[in-house]
Amino acid sequence: MMWFATGLGIVAGAAELVVIERVLPEYPEEDAEIECMVTLRVTPEGVPSAAAVEGCDEPHAAAAEEAALQWRFQPFELDGGEPEAVFQTPMFDLAPLRTVPPEVVPPSPLQLPEPEIYTLRPGVEVWHVRVPSVRKVAVHVVMREGLVELVGMPNQAARATGWMVDVAAGEYSAPELSLIEDLHEIELWSRIGLHDGSVSLVVPREDLELGLQLQRTVLREPTFPKKDLKRYLRDQQLFYTVNAPSSQARVAGYALAHAWFPADHPYGARPNLAELKGIKPRTLSDLYELWLSSVPLTLVVVGDLPFEEIRAPLEAMVEDLGVDRPPASALEVPLPPPRVLAVDMPGQSQVAIRLRTPAPPRGHEDSVAMRAIQWVLGGHFLSRLNRVLREERGYTYGSGASYRSGPTWGSLTFSVDVGSENLAETVTVIQEQIDAILEAGVEAEELESARRSFVQDWNTTRQTASQAARLYLAALEEGVSIETKRDRREAMGSLAAEDVIRVAQEWMGPDAPRVWVFVGDRAKMEPELAELGLEAEWIDPNRAVLGNF
Amino acid sequence: MLSWIPALALAADGPLAMDPRVETLDNGLTVILLEDHRTDTIALHLAYGVGARDEADVERGSAHLFEHLMFEGSANVPTNAFDEWLTAAGGDNNAYTSEDVTAYHMEFPSGALELALFLESDRMGFLEAGLVQDNLENQQKVVLQERAEGYAEPNGRDWDALGRISWPADHPYHHPVIGTVADIEAFSLPAVRGFWEAHYRSRNAVLALVGNFETEEALERVEHWFSDVPDRGEPVERDNSPLPGGVRDHHGMLFDDVEERTLYVVWETVPLGHADEPALDLLSQLLSGGRGTRLDDQLYYEHQRTSDVGMFTLNNDRAGQILLYASSPKTPLAKVYKLALKQIQGLIKDPPTAEEVARARRAHRGWLLDALEQPDRKAEILVDCFRWTQEADCLVPRWARYEAVTPADVLRVAQTYLIEQQPNTLSVVPRGDDGAMDGAQLVELP
């Protein structure tokens, strides 16, 4: 049975009545379908003076009357010469349901298929994943080694090489390539990372053949035009010297990253502006040839199509490519020393606060518990940090925590922007919230909430080919099965508070190094830092961005 | 390269037809349902027909404030429980406010549909319980901080300044959606309650659900939860009286903590649904849709006179704009302006080609088709379609209007709205810099 609004509301005596307090009757639960119609007389002060009940018997009529008399309305002006307003409302078959939130059926992670793996030749594998009902096809040619293997210490030339592969190729000038891509809704792009890179294609199914032809040309015959290289290098220069240093958020991000990875470690390579000036197209084409000819390849294909349909063009694309050896391993990274960095940006009213602590590497047995800690402290609107800093104190528009990890390292980063006058209190709250985790872990309800959220995230991965491909690329990079990734989401549900405390103590405890970064107006920040007893190293925004500290 | 150019007429419009179920409850709430069983999730999008344009002078910022207050509890949902319960179910949600609309959206596992409907219906029907002084004061602080954080970012004040220079003070789009500091500090509980009572009515709302459910069953559950939402009658009639014309030929400037100069050029165009809207959309894409388009090539890719350039249309319910922006660390903005205008005026001598229009059209169609693969974006499209046309399934006729645009149409709208009109400009430059447009006047942002 359902109630509709017909008959609900004003009958006489006022243009409008606004309910400000609404008490529901306590019917016996099994009688939830009972409907009583209550007519209330309401004084101009908004208080009911009498109630009449129709349409139901005792004890429901008495319960409905008792509840209705406790309703309160906004004071109002009488009209039509009536002594009181008359208001009618159903009482209320739905009431028992509204008094408690409805039950939720917990989500289960969908069974996503493992990729079908084909070996085109030694050194070239294909991961093929068929996802029904997606419009596009994603084809990623993944180079299984990246900057570190290519040049040892990542430099600007190697970075430019990886990012410029997709600009122009073979007979296609950059504008021609761009035009064809746009006319057929083809997305082609390249990237290079520390230990991998890719030339990637996303294309509507009906233009797959054309897309693959272009991808083949881009992969095998990139031309690195001089004019585009010049533009790329100018953009890099501009970003590091002009755009990044003017944003508190970017300055904070760079300062934190540079403080975490040493300058002499490949993961901590600093931007080298002097080097930007001497890079020639020839340097890039030589580096690219070396890169492409020396790495194992894995092709990840995701779309609503059988493998046989794409096998021949893939074979043509990677003909003679691919080196038959396992990809190189990641490098060990030392933990950084504890540090307090403060960046002076005069005139700013806000301060960007960041804190980074160590966290388990990717796939480590502690990573599930760390993911839970991240979620509980700063992973959603009502995380513990937001609850205090936003909802209770109104200090911030939003705070967050992020857990990043690689094969050999991990970090947990807290981020919040507040008015400078709230710096000290905010830092104190962050410390208190970390201490609470170290002492008491997290609640079972929080863990279940985290589990469900991660399952929901997992369950949306089949909406588009691009979304699904991201999951399989992550599994490839990590070297784990889809089932393993799925199980990790579920594992959150079987953690206990003690597990979380142990992991928190291990990675974020008193002995773990912490790196604080504060970006704002020095004059406003100094008294706040002094109140906290924090002695900061002061640097300017340009040094922060370039890692020159 | 001509062999690569596809036939301009694209396939039939099958993929753009959505075929949703549309119902109206007795309390006037419009409900749109569309099944999508590809994933085990449901997207909910609920829009109220209230935005900053509906605010009286003493209510400035109120529409956006509700984007916060709607999460602070209602009769049967304690403070903070909205997020807490939805998050605990694996769901996620957010909201946005514009000049014309306030929209609330969620995505959740299908097993949480009942909870989502309960939460959404409770705050639609019974929010008064959460409209209390403590919640108001706290959200005032949060909104002030939201504003401060936005203003602290480089170019964070540009948008509000553009509203001020583009529209006269009595125009509904003149004022910043978030409000000024004084507006936000002036919120009072009776005024806030009055605003909710006037605008947050079931007859002023459109609800869409897209995802893993059976339509009949889901409709029954929507009726179950929303049918006791009181029908508070027709919403306050929106002001549709004739608007004052937009400002013309005004040149404003801001000093900011930036290292680059940025120029905005704004022309007044047409409101949503106007016959020229598709041609204007394609014009902006044709001029600045990436490499190989006129503005992008001349200002950035080929000649690198700026570090950034872009152009887009802004079509609101009552008025529209086309907006160009470009940044440069050194080039005087008067020169950037001249270069940009040269490209636009060049359309007369060198009119848009069929290929350029096809390219722009394909980008637009791709954007629509990509959106339809994602339940959350599809739900938003259904609601917006209904708001604009009273038909939830509006993409097929909408696309037909884009298909019908010819190169001559694009040239005509370029002439009518851009070439023959004096635009307004906003120069945003580093403090103390002299690179702004000649004669630009400082914009005061209260």
Side-chain angles (χ1 to χ4, degrees), chain A residues 327-339:
Chain A
S329 301
L331 307 173
E332 293 299 324
V333 189
L335 279 178
R339 219 157 170 187

Side-chain angles (χ1 to χ4, degrees), chain A residues 3 16 19 92 98 135 178 182 184 210 227-228 234-235 243 350 381-382 391 417 452 463, chain B residues 4 38 80 88 93 122 128 138 145 149 201 225 227-228 260 291 300 302 304 359 370 373:
Chain A
W3 275 106
E16 208 166 40
V19 181
F92 213 82
R98 277 210 184 268
R135 183 170 77 92
S178 178
D182 287 355
H184 294 270
L210 173 59
K227 183 189 281 182
D228 290 285
R234 193 189 72 149
D235 285 353
N243 299 127
Q350 303 289 303
F381 274 136
L382 274 183
E391 295 303 324
D417 294 359
R452 291 181 186 183
Q463 289 175 354
Chain B
W4 293 108
R38 292 175 306 137
N80 285 340
N93 76 101
D122 212 64
E128 305 99 315
N138 184 62
Q145 179 63 19
E149 287 179 28
R201 300 182 176 196
W225 286 111
S227 58
D228 71 330
E260 270 200 295
R291 183 154 209 161
Y300 179 65
E302 296 301 321
Q304 297 173 31
R359 182 183 194 172
D370 280 349
E373 283 197 292

Side-chain angles (χ1 to χ4, degrees), chain A residues 61-306:
Chain A
E65 180 181 350
E66 184 186 341
L69 287 170
Q70 295 177 65
W71 284 38
R72 293 294 179 268
F73 300 81
Q74 266 186 9
F76 60 94
E77 285 187 16
L78 285 166
D79 61 25
E82 298 286 339
E84 291 176 320
V86 180
F87 184 86
Q88 206 171 49
T89 181
M91 267 292 176
F92 213 82
D93 68 314
L94 301 180
L97 297 178
R98 277 210 184 268
T99 54
V100 289
E103 289 292 314
V104 166
V105 182
S108 300
L110 294 175
Q111 292 283 356
L112 300 179
E114 298 294 337
E116 297 165 18
I117 300 179
Y118 301 90
T119 302
L120 295 186
R121 83 173 61 81
V124 185
E125 276 189 346
V126 181
W127 283 27
H128 175 254
V129 185
R130 186 156 192 177
V131 181
S133 306
V134 291
R135 183 170 77 92
K136 292 181 173 176
V137 180
V139 181
H140 296 267
V141 179
V142 181
M143 286 80 154
R144 305 298 305 278
E145 293 177 346
L147 291 163
V148 175
E149 292 77 22
L150 186 59
V151 289
M153 194 69 184
N155 58 27
Q156 302 299 151
R159 290 181 199 279
T161 302
W163 290 103
M164 287 200 59
V165 177
D166 62 333
V167 171
E171 61 184 303
Y172 305 111
S173 69
E176 286 165 349
L177 189 61
S178 178
L179 174 65
I180 299 166
E181 288 175 25
D182 287 355
L183 283 170
H184 294 270
E185 221 191 313
I186 292 169
E187 296 166 69
L188 259 174
W189 74 98
S190 62
R191 57 168 283 274
I192 191 165
L194 289 168
H195 293 290
D196 67 354
S198 64
V199 173
S200 299
L201 165 75
V202 175
V203 59
R205 176 92 155 75
E206 65 271 18
D207 280 319
L208 177 61
E209 188 183 342
L210 173 59
L212 288 167
Q213 284 179 45
L214 288 190
Q215 188 179 23
R216 180 181 191 279
T217 309
V218 165
L219 177 74
R220 304 192 67 119
E221 305 168 39
T223 49
F224 305 105
K226 189 175 176 183
K227 183 189 281 182
D228 290 285
L229 175 59
K230 194 176 156 197
R231 179 174 51 79
Y232 170 89
L233 297 175
R234 193 189 72 149
D235 285 353
Q236 292 289 302
Q237 177 91 19
L238 196 65
F239 177 80
Y240 287 122
T241 57
V242 171
N243 299 127
S246 60
S247 155
Q248 283 177 285
R250 285 187 182 141
V251 167
Y254 276 103
L256 204 52
H258 293 320
W260 199 258
F261 294 111
D264 58 357
H265 191 284
Y267 297 177
R270 305 322 197 216
N272 185 336
L273 299 185
E275 194 197 332
L276 284 174
K277 289 175 184 149
I279 300 173
K280 307 280 183 239
R282 184 59 193 265
T283 317
L284 269 58
S285 46
D286 288 350
L287 276 169
Y288 184 70
E289 196 178 324
L290 177 63
W291 189 32
L292 187 64
S293 63
S294 64
V295 292
L297 296 178
T298 301
L299 281 60
V300 176
V301 181
V302 178
D304 190 2
L305 80 173

